[in-house]
Amino acid sequence: MGTVFSLDVRDELAPGTVEAVVHRLHTLDALLSTYRPDSEVSRLGRGELDLADCAPDVREALALCEAARGATGGLFDARAGGRLDPSGVVKGWAVEQARALLVVGGSTRHSVNGGGDVAVGRGPLSGRPWRVGVADPFTPGRLLAAVRVESAGVATSGTAERGAHVLDPATGAPVTALVSATVVGPSLLLADVLATAALVAGTGACDLLDAHPDHDWLVVGQDGRQRSSPGWALRTC
Amino acid sequence: MKRVVLALVSTCTAVAALLSYRTTPLPTTTGAAAVAGSRTLTGEAAQTRWGPVQVAVVLDAADTIVQVQVLQQPDGNHRDLEIGAYALPRLQAQALELQSADVDVVSGATYTSEGYASSLQSALDQR
């Protein structure tokens, strides 16, 4: 997946849990990384492999992409720009799978970070939620905000660190109206999809996100102007 | 409490996650020598496909990072030097900034060097 995962576990884990997480992430990476020319998803994208012949994990990832496309009215599209790239759901999906393995391993207090997509359980201490920083899209290494989060996912889609890499499925051109969209929600997978869709929606991001009242969000325009959900300010710390 | 950092394949990584549990604010001085009781830990050289990357961290008496020094960076060609000159100071700034912020983890920070992160982690593991 071209990125690094980290686990922060604050309680006891059953033996072998971390190994299981590592194994699962390597399996997903081997199948679904667009950075590996030999992954099933790369071969599928080049037309060398039929979807029916792909591993169940690949078919499920593509099914999630289809669901995400439907749920966002086409704003999220794993084939935007004509090239198959399911990374927009795969990273969040992988983080959630890692978190599920930690839960099965007996942990309740943990955070999992996969390349800036974050899923957390209960806070590191009783009465103390996780504090999740949001990267400043204009200045690498700086934070725009920090929010308190428990048992939720936090996803940021932005143009600053990797350039204008999110493409508008309608035009195939990079989106530029917003430089960053951060979404907090019960599912990291959906939060991640909504963050990408918001970036594509541009000036329509607020309307899109308002339709998901159980999510909090912060979007930053190219001009630096910030907009956020009513609940965002209650989370900031 | 247990913290595990997994490096997976790659072109990038999250230094943020490596450092995020250090929640003590940075001291106002960044001059390592000026901090009483400071010590320097040298990370292992991390092998990347472009060449070795090695860093050292300077910690104060409270084990807060006050400086990250780049000891080795890829210099095989002009482009390597260009990238090193651009990226490594940004990574250094990032490591310090994120530590100074009172957060556990950062959303949206993805693009940092794998070699930098793993050498930095090996230095921090010596604390």
Side-chain angles (χ1 to χ4, degrees):
Chain A
M1 284 166 268
T3 195
V4 162
F5 284 71
S6 67
L7 317 176
D8 188 344
V9 180
R10 304 298 179 103
D11 44 18
E12 290 303 310
L13 272 183
T17 304
V18 170
E19 290 76 7
V21 171
V22 173
H23 182 258
R24 183 66 189 140
L25 291 174
H26 278 294
T27 301
L28 288 173
D29 188 64
L31 290 170
L32 289 160
S33 177
T34 55
Y35 291 86
R36 291 168 171 258
D38 60 338
S39 71
E40 285 200 3
V41 86
S42 294
R43 292 164 59 207
L44 180 68
R46 292 194 301 267
E48 298 167 13
L49 195 63
D50 285 334
L51 185 57
D53 297 326
C54 288
D57 284 329
V58 176
R59 297 204 301 269
E60 187 171 345
L62 283 239
L64 287 168
C65 288
E66 270 313 293
R69 194 168 67 92
T72 59
L75 290 170
F76 178 97
D77 190 337
R79 292 177 193 276
R83 181 173 157 270
L84 177 64
D85 184 359
S87 311
V89 300
V90 165
K91 211 165 53 159
W93 190 44
V95 170
E96 289 209 327
Q97 290 189 39
R99 178 163 130 65
L101 286 168
L102 294 180
V103 170
V104 172
S107 172
T108 60
R109 301 187 184 279
H110 49 249
S111 86
V112 181
N113 179 4
D117 277 353
V118 178
V120 304
R122 294 167 66 211
L125 296 168
S126 181
R128 205 287 235 172
W130 291 96
R131 289 190 282 248
V132 180
V134 177
D136 183 338
F138 295 108
T139 316
R142 285 198 173 272
L143 300 180
L144 201 61
V147 285
R148 288 184 291 261
V149 178
E150 270 192 293
S151 301
V154 185
T156 297
S157 189
T159 61
E161 287 204 345
R162 293 168 58 199
H165 68 290
V166 175
L167 304 177
D168 184 342
T171 62
V175 297
T176 53
L178 297 182
V179 292
S180 170
T182 298
V183 179
V184 182
S187 149
L188 174 62
L189 191 52
L190 181 56
D192 204 3
V193 166
L194 290 176
T196 302
L199 215 63
V200 173
T203 52
C206 299
D207 290 338
L208 170 81
L209 294 167
D210 276 338
H212 297 270
D214 52 344
H215 290 67
D216 282 317
W217 48 269
L218 170 73
V219 299
V220 184
Q222 205 176 27
D223 57 0
R225 189 166 171 199
Q226 300 181 16
R227 290 167 176 272
S228 58
S229 65
W232 180 268
L234 302 175
R235 288 185 178 276
T236 54
C237 51
Chain B
M1 187 194 303
K2 181 157 68 171
R3 162 163 279 260
V4 187
V5 177
L6 311 169
L8 254 196
V9 204
S10 36
T11 45
C12 40
T13 158
V15 170
L18 303 180
L19 300 171
S20 53
Y21 65 103
R22 309 296 304 174
T23 54
T24 322
L26 270 184
T28 47
T29 172
T30 53
V35 180
S38 70
R39 57 195 180 123
T40 302
L41 302 176
T42 303
E44 290 168 19
Q47 300 303 325
T48 72
R49 87 178 82 152
W50 302 279
V53 174
Q54 186 174 27
V55 303
V57 292
V58 180
L59 304 174
D60 69 8
D63 268 3
T64 301
I65 303 171
V66 292
Q67 196 176 60
V68 184
Q69 300 162 344
V70 177
L71 306 179
Q72 277 194 75
Q73 58 174 288
D75 58 359
N77 58 42
H78 179 68
R79 179 78 180 134
D80 282 346
L81 289 173
E82 218 170 60
I83 292 170
Y86 173 75
L88 291 172
R90 287 157 69 100
L91 295 176
Q92 285 168 295
Q94 182 169 23
L96 294 171
E97 281 289 340
L98 295 178
Q99 176 189 247
S100 67
D102 193 13
V103 298
D104 301 300
V105 59
V106 174
S107 172
T110 57
Y111 214 63
T112 47
S113 147
E114 176 187 2
Y116 182 85
S118 68
S119 183
L120 184 60
Q121 184 65 52
S122 72
L124 293 175
D125 286 347
Q126 299 168 38
R127 282 181 300 187

